[in-house]
Amino acid sequence: LPVCHSRTPTTGPSSLSFRSHTCGELRSAHVGETVTLCGWVQYLRQDLFVILRDFSGSAQVLIPQDESVSHLKAALCNLTIESVIKVTGTVRSRPAGQENKAMPTGEVEILAEGVEVFNVCRKLPFEIKDFVKKSESLRMQYRYLDLRSARMQKNLRMRSQLVMKMRDYLCNVHGFVDVETPTLFKRTPGGAKEFVVPSREPGRFYSLPQSPQQFKQLLMVAGVDRYFQVARCYRDEGSKPARQPEFTQVDIEMSFVDQAGVLSLVEGLLQHSWPAELGVLAAPFPTMTYEEAMRDYGVDKPDTRFGMKLIDLAQVFSSTEVEFLRSALDQPGGSVQAVCVPSGAELFSGKDLEELKQTAKTQFGQELSVVLVRADGTLKSPLKKLLSGSATDELLQRTAARPGDLLLLAAGPLPSVRPLLGNLRLRCAALLESRGVSVRDPSAFHFLWVRDFPLFLPKEEAPGQLESAHHPFTAPLPEDALLLHTDPQKVRGQHYDLVLNGCEVGGGSIRIHKASEQLHVLQSVLKEDPSLLSHLLEALDSGAPPHGGIALGLDRLVSIMVGAPSIRDVMAFPKSFRGHDLMSRAPDFVSEEELKSYHIAVTWPAEEGEGEGSNKE
Amino acid sequence: LPVCHSRTPTTGPSSLSFRSHTCGELRSAHVGETVTLCGWVQYLRQDLFVILRDFSGSAQVLIPQDESVSHLKAALCNLTIESVIKVTGTVRSRPAGQENKAMPTGEVEILAEGVEVFNVCRKLPFEIKDFVKKSESLRMQYRYLDLRSARMQKNLRMRSQLVMKMRDYLCNVHGFVDVETPTLFKRTPGGAKEFVVPSREPGRFYSLPQSPQQFKQLLMVAGVDRYFQVARCYRDEGSKPARQPEFTQVDIEMSFVDQAGVLSLVEGLLQHSWPAELGVLAAPFPTMTYEEAMRDYGVDKPDTRFGMKLIDLAQVFSSTEVEFLRSALDQPGGSVQAVCVPSGAELFSGKDLEELKQTAKTQFGQELSVVLVRADGTLKSPLKKLLSGSATDELLQRTAARPGDLLLLAAGPLPSVRPLLGNLRLRCAALLESRGVSVRDPSAFHFLWVRDFPLFLPKEEAPGQLESAHHPFTAPLPEDALLLHTDPQKVRGQHYDLVLNGCEVGGGSIRIHKASEQLHVLQSVLKEDPSLLSHLLEALDSGAPPHGGIALGLDRLVSIMVGAPSIRDVMAFPKSFRGHDLMSRAPDFVSEEELKSYHIAVTWPAEEGEGEGSNKE
């Protein structure tokens, strides 16, 4: 074969660089070409081979054994793992029988003809191999090493590609305008979860907003028509394991649109940007009302990848004399509900059942009745002797329980029973899966819209008062608008949540666009001081179009797409669950002097010893 | 013509909305179609027409005068300016002679057949007309009205499209990965311009970084290979008119690349994303060394749209006996330099010249000699009688001054004389333009690379010590690397600035990728405590590839592209020059109670009365 010198390509990942190809792209078709690769030494084998790795994969470099190029051999054999080099050489077929089918470049190797060592790597705290187990805190402290793993490279690249395609769809297909909104903003009244940022004016603080909600609505009033932003948002919740102090949402708002328009847009958006390797996304997505979700799944973000729905047993027990069932059903809003766990009686141990009961008691303050259906169809339960034969038959029929199944029963007010069984439904699914039963297809993506949420909920601390279920800018359903003045608690809002595999990955609404309606909600329903939102009320009074939108939680969405257990696995530099950057050790102390220009001083707690150890996670 | 009902299109700006078309797109080709428009009432004329406006332009709606649809006429005639409506009607040709050539939709009008009023607008603080002058503070307070102007709509949309094309180029053409980096970070030692963010741990603060510099380098160590981010950055400089506390940079970093590679990438990036309406961008861009820029233009970001370069007169005055020239030239590093202003003698008044001298004195602490070349070629200057005939001839020859021109002369140390004349050169250009002379083509875009900056500069407060000219991570020119150990002040860095029409719109460098070299710079040259950057040094020691990058100032770049006087004109919601949001009144007071969870308290200044009036700009 004639020797063919590859030049740096003008486009693609090797353009403008020292290399001619990436490590992962070489195939038999390249045999005979002279190529230049740059990358990290994955490992050395018997002074014969160097496996060179970059983001795209790895390639086998053959170390020449010829005396005339002994300097080359010396340079390569002295390398430490993870050193960074450039290798020029000729692509050859591997000798017959030495191909590696598990390696995409396994048919070829590169006979080294020149090498440049860019950097020699010292001993590392852990090896860059996906199968090497590392503690979370070690991964975070050496994040720049952790990110070298194939898994993290894939996660970051899939995220980048997803966002790129989303932007393409919004800008180029539907005429959206990418607008950046400020993150140094005014504090929301009572915004306890907002970080404050002191200014150089004594006593005055900016605040890092939890979302661009006000700005996106103001942009609609401003006639921008269609806005989107991949927006950084902030939420200070102290230490919550699943949360990050800063996170990203794909923020969207449109004018002259109704709920159906927003839902269509998002469905098209996800179809357009969905990675081919994850399969085809069918649209429109199924839709469910809040009431249906709570009724069937006991939760407003149901995982619809499996059944095990909540079953209402009010009819079965309509004439029961069993004390706790009777008293539950006699109360207004009282109910008896069950979940049937297929094979639960077979597969769950006594300890499992005890834990389910404990969960009901400690986390939900409720009693759980457990009914096992034996192989012969008879029941095993404390309830058994209290039930007549016909009640037993009716129970089995209504729940469609079969031999080997498990029934979980709860009795009480609906708003207590549903969340309990909704939670146990998910626990039982996980438990079944841990016993080898396939309940949820891990490669399935079940998107679902949940809509018609209540617009207001009773305040937890003062149930006589109402608070917004989502935020005070959500418009009521048109058919419920009059109830705003007579029975606000019955009003359903034009809010919609996007749910994926049982996780909320987005939420939005059609907004109130009339100042008078917004004022009524703030002043008369929520009893809030409307002057705090005077700029928004004034804006609505200045020619506001009907508008609505949505925000997608990008971190959560991507983490589900890549099958990562945590959103930390789809962020380059996440904080620990205590909000620390373990690499740079942020947050850190700042001198009194430096705080002076912000007119603040630290108020040290009287007793608590801090300092040593407070760095630890 | 047959009536043709338009449906909502499936793509484009009217997809998924209440309208079938935007106001600005209707042409003669649409005649006969039934269309639905949504928009703002721009004005009403004689109860005959409504001019309806949206982001795309405006259209004339004909109010039907027929008695049978009097409700339609009543609804339309009662509208206030800036009310928001939906109109359905038939597109017609305007009667002959009534076409409006100045209006893109001026050949047609829409005969209204149905109208829906979405919102009635109250009286506004100013009209939405580009020619109506508004104060800056009124514009900011009612930003949602100000943004309705055609100019601001254009600015925001051009920005969005530019960024979209930049992303397309980086991701899709060159394989870059869009990675989000944290904005809650550790405070840079001595980072006086970094906002602090108190955490819930007593005394510990996050900091809002001025750029993702450390993270982008860590991403290269992490093997991400090619990173970019349209990154929000923060800088607290108190009140500086031209600055914003938060701003945006297009942040780029590449591995296995040299300076030529980065410059090519940026040239391709700008060519790819440059709006067609601004003409074609030629590449490669001209390049100049820092030394050449200072020599010819007296500034490191020269406006190369015009000449009037600095002229060295050392030779002309090599044997002069004129006292101040002699003493300047006798000093080491001393010089005599001039700028020749064409027609300056003709067009500048005595007052103009006086102001130039005053600027030299008050802002630069230097004397300026002014020489006018009369129409007859003789000089008018205090210097005249001190110069011999041959010296005069030589001066005119060297400066190429012609009758009517003005010479500005300065004598002293080079580092003083150059910036003075560089500044006066720009002032004179503006002055000439104000007198009607065309000096700079307002539609020209002169990109320029300035490179080979000094790596270190003497500290202003302690000239015996050195500080980084840009930042401590910049690599030296390879040929100067040894000087790092012997004469660091002579080392030139692999830093490059991108200049557009005399403004710096970008800056970057090839970075140090060896831990030992980085440690030497921090410890031995800059005398800094390297432990503060231990995580970066450790990372460089863990297999860091050679890498480099750049950051483009997006706000400034777009403001020059659209010809806006301020970056505030290309941001949706900018802060005032005092850092205030005049719409929401941020920053604002926060209760003592709310600050408690952050363990801080306000230290009120002893005397200064704040409160009333402190809101004013």
Side-chain angles (χ1 to χ4, degrees), chain B residues 287-300 302-304 306-312 337-340 398 414 418 421-423 425:
Chain B
T287 291
M288 200 180 276
T289 66
Y290 169 82
E291 180 51 32
E292 290 165 346
M294 294 307 292
R295 183 193 68 200
D296 292 346
Y297 298 94
V299 68
D300 61 359
D303 188 342
T304 53
F306 67 105
M308 289 171 54
K309 290 184 191 179
L310 274 59
I311 303 155
D312 190 276
Q337 306 252 327
V339 158
C340 174
R398 177 88 181 94
L414 264 188
R418 283 173 168 175
L421 291 181
N423 181 287
R425 172 182 174 266

Side-chain angles (χ1 to χ4, degrees), chain A residues 113-321:
Chain A
E113 284 149 20
V115 65
E116 182 176 351
V117 179
F118 291 128
N119 230 336
V120 172
C121 181
R122 64 170 170 84
K123 179 101 183 73
L124 296 183
F126 54 82
E127 284 184 81
I128 315 300
K129 286 174 181 163
D130 282 356
F131 59 84
V132 172
K133 287 257 180 273
K134 296 138 282 209
S135 75
E136 176 86 3
S137 69
L138 204 62
R139 285 181 57 199
M140 291 299 150
Q141 190 183 345
Y142 297 98
R143 187 62 165 177
Y144 47 87
L145 299 179
D146 186 45
L147 291 179
R148 285 185 197 162
S149 70
R151 191 171 62 89
M152 286 305 301
Q153 290 281 332
K154 188 195 103 196
N155 291 359
L156 292 184
R157 280 160 207 275
M158 185 183 278
R159 179 180 178 138
S160 170
Q161 280 156 24
L162 178 82
V163 171
M164 185 69 219
K165 286 196 172 170
M166 284 183 164
R167 293 177 175 281
D168 175 51
Y169 184 77
L170 292 168
C171 277
N172 299 336
V173 180
H174 288 288
F176 278 75
V177 187
D178 181 2
V179 181
E180 296 182 67
T181 59
T183 56
L184 294 172
F185 190 46
K186 183 194 173 91
R187 191 163 172 81
T188 309
K193 291 175 181 174
E194 289 176 5
F195 287 101
V196 294
V197 181
S199 77
R200 287 175 192 252
E201 289 175 77
R204 286 181 186 269
F205 294 78
Y206 297 106
S207 184
L208 300 175
Q210 290 191 60
S211 89
Q213 182 64 35
Q214 287 188 44
F215 289 113
K216 70 201 277 194
Q217 294 196 241
L218 290 167
L219 286 171
M220 295 303 103
V221 179
V224 167
D225 200 65
R226 301 183 162 200
Y227 142 92
F228 86 99
Q229 181 181 199
V230 180
R232 191 68 58 89
C233 302
Y234 299 86
R235 191 166 43 203
D236 179 19
E237 299 187 292
S239 306
K240 278 207 180 178
R243 295 292 174 86
Q244 286 284 322
E246 49 186 318
F247 58 97
T248 302
Q249 65 187 38
V250 179
D251 200 42
I252 291 173
E253 196 80 7
M254 302 170 78
S255 295
F256 307 114
V257 73
D258 55 18
Q259 181 165 320
V262 178
L263 304 198
S264 282
L265 178 86
V266 174
E267 288 163 354
L269 174 71
L270 286 165
Q271 283 189 308
H272 181 90
S273 52
W274 199 249
E277 65 203 87
L278 297 187
V280 172
L281 218 53
F285 301 156
T287 292
M288 201 179 278
T289 65
Y290 170 81
E291 180 50 33
E292 290 164 346
M294 293 306 293
R295 185 193 66 200
D296 292 346
Y297 297 94
V299 67
D300 61 359
K301 40 178 194 282
D303 188 341
T304 52
R305 288 175 298 174
F306 67 107
M308 288 168 56
K309 292 185 191 176
L310 274 59
I311 303 155
D312 190 276
L313 301 178
Q315 284 234 280
V316 173
F317 296 116
S318 58
S319 54
T320 188
E321 291 307 317

Side-chain angles (χ1 to χ4, degrees), chain A residues 10-13 15-19 38 40 55 82 84 118-119 121-122 124 142 144 147-148 153 157 159-160 164 167-168 171 173-174 177-187 192 194 196 198 200-206 215 218-219 221-226 229 232 234 236 246 248 256-258 264-265 513-514 535 538-544 546 572-573 575 578-580 583-584 586-590 594 598-605 614, chain B residues 10-13 15-19 38 40 55 82 84 118-119 121-122 124 142 144 147-148 153 157 159-160 164 167-168 171 173-174 177-187 192 194 196 198 200-206 215 218 221-226 229 232 234 236 246 248 256-258 264-265 513-514 535 538-544 546 572-573 575 578-580 583-584 586-590 594 598-605 614:
Chain A
T10 54
T11 59
S15 61
L16 307 167
S17 81
F18 301 157
R19 66 180 171 244
C38 294
W40 284 257
F55 67 93
E82 293 300 313
V84 186
F118 291 128
N119 230 336
C121 181
R122 64 170 170 84
L124 296 183
Y142 297 98
Y144 47 87
L147 291 179
R148 285 185 197 162
Q153 290 281 332
R157 280 160 207 275
R159 179 180 178 138
S160 170
M164 185 69 219
R167 293 177 175 281
D168 175 51
C171 277
V173 180
H174 288 288
V177 187
D178 181 2
V179 181
E180 296 182 67
T181 59
T183 56
L184 294 172
F185 190 46
K186 183 194 173 91
R187 191 163 172 81
E194 289 176 5
V196 294
R200 287 175 192 252
E201 289 175 77
R204 286 181 186 269
F205 294 78
Y206 297 106
F215 289 113
L218 290 167
L219 286 171
V221 179
V224 167
D225 200 65
R226 301 183 162 200
Q229 181 181 199
R232 191 68 58 89
Y234 299 86
D236 179 19
E246 49 186 318
T248 302
F256 307 114
V257 73
D258 55 18
S264 282
L265 178 86
H513 68 276
K514 290 201 171 157
H535 57 283
E538 246 187 320
L540 293 182
D541 228 357
S542 315
F573 298 101
K575 302 284 190 296
R578 280 189 59 195
H580 288 188
M583 191 177 58
S584 73
D588 205 356
F589 297 107
V590 169
E594 291 183 281
Y598 296 110
H599 308 278
I600 57 169
V602 176
T603 51
W604 295 99
S614 64
Chain B
T10 53
T11 60
S15 61
L16 308 167
S17 80
F18 300 156
R19 66 182 171 242
C38 293
W40 284 258
F55 67 93
E82 294 301 314
V84 186
F118 290 128
N119 230 335
C121 181
R122 66 172 170 83
L124 297 182
Y142 297 97
Y144 47 87
L147 291 178
R148 286 187 194 161
Q153 289 282 333
R157 279 160 207 275
R159 179 179 179 138
S160 169
M164 186 69 220
R167 293 176 177 280
D168 175 51
C171 276
V173 180
H174 287 289
V177 187
D178 181 2
V179 182
E180 296 183 66
T181 60
T183 56
L184 293 172
F185 191 44
K186 185 191 170 96
R187 192 164 171 82
E194 288 175 6
V196 294
R200 288 175 191 251
E201 289 174 76
R204 287 181 184 269
F205 295 79
Y206 298 105
F215 288 112
L218 290 168
V221 178
V224 167
D225 200 66
R226 301 185 162 198
Q229 181 181 200
R232 191 69 58 88
Y234 300 86
D236 178 20
E246 50 185 319
T248 302
F256 308 114
V257 73
D258 56 18
S264 284
L265 178 86
H513 69 276
K514 290 202 170 157
H535 57 284
E538 245 187 319
L540 293 181
D541 229 357
S542 316
F573 298 101
K575 301 284 191 295
R578 280 187 61 195
H580 287 188
M583 192 176 58
S584 73
D588 205 355
F589 297 106
V590 169
E594 289 183 285
Y598 296 111
H599 308 279
I600 56 171
V602 176
T603 51
W604 296 100
S614 64

